[in-house]
C-alpha cells in the first residue's frame, strides 16, 4: 500500500492486472465473508479451498472492474493528474 501522493505512473500501469469487485452483496454469504476476510488481511487467497476460489472468480468475472481502465476512463491526462491533482476532483471524474 502507498499513499496517494507517493503513487507513480508505474503503480497505475501495474493496476492492469487487477480486477476490483465493487459490490459483493449478490455473492453467497459464505463467499462474502471470505472476501471481507481477504480484504482485512486476516485470510490469504492461497488458503481458500479451490471451490471457494472458483466461486469468487466466477462472481468476479461477471461484474469486476479493471482498475486501470476505470482510472483512464475518468482522467484525461494521467501524468498531470498524478503530479498536480485538481482541487476540483468532480471536474476530472464526471
Amino acid at each position: 500500500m502507498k499513499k496517494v501522493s507517493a503513487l507513480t505512473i508505474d503503480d497505475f500501469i501495474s493496476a492492469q492486472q487487477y480486477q476490483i469487485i465493487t459490490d459483493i452483496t449478490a455473492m453467497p454469504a459464505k463467499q462474502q465473508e471470505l472476501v471481507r476476510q481477504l480484504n482485512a488481511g486476516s485470510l490469504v487467497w492461497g488458503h481458500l479451498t479451490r471451490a471457494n476460489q472458483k466461486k469468487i472468480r466466477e462472481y468476479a468475472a461477471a461484474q469486476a472492474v479493471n482498475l486501470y481502465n476505470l482510472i483512464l476512463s475518468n482522467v484525461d491526462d494521467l501524468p498531470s493528474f498524478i503530479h498536480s491533482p485538481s482541487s476540483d476532483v468532480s471536474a476530472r471524474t464526471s
Side-chain angles (χ1 to χ4, degrees), residues 46-60:
H47 294 162
L48 294 176
T49 64
R50 285 195 174 133
N52 280 320
Q53 288 178 356
K54 181 180 177 187
K55 288 177 185 176
I56 292 170
R57 281 189 180 117
E58 286 171 352
Y59 180 85

Side-chain angles (χ1 to χ4, degrees), residues 33-45 47:
E33 181 56 30
L34 292 172
V35 169
R36 286 187 188 98
Q37 290 176 21
L38 288 165
N39 286 340
S42 60
L43 185 62
V44 176
W45 179 258
H47 294 162

Side-chain angles (χ1 to χ4, degrees), residues 25-92:
T25 58
M27 187 180 282
K30 181 177 181 178
Q31 280 70 41
Q32 284 185 40
E33 181 56 30
L34 292 172
V35 169
R36 286 187 188 98
Q37 290 176 21
L38 288 165
N39 286 340
S42 60
L43 185 62
V44 176
W45 179 258
H47 294 162
L48 294 176
T49 64
R50 285 195 174 133
N52 280 320
Q53 288 178 356
K54 181 180 177 187
K55 288 177 185 176
I56 292 170
R57 281 189 180 117
E58 286 171 352
Y59 180 85
Q63 77 91 21
V65 175
N66 179 277
L67 183 58
Y68 180 77
N69 293 337
L70 180 64
I71 292 167
L72 285 185
S73 71
N74 288 291
V75 177
D76 296 328
D77 184 2
L78 188 57
S80 294
F81 181 76
I82 290 172
H83 297 295
S84 56
S86 169
S87 58
D88 182 7
V89 175
S90 64
R92 292 192 177 263

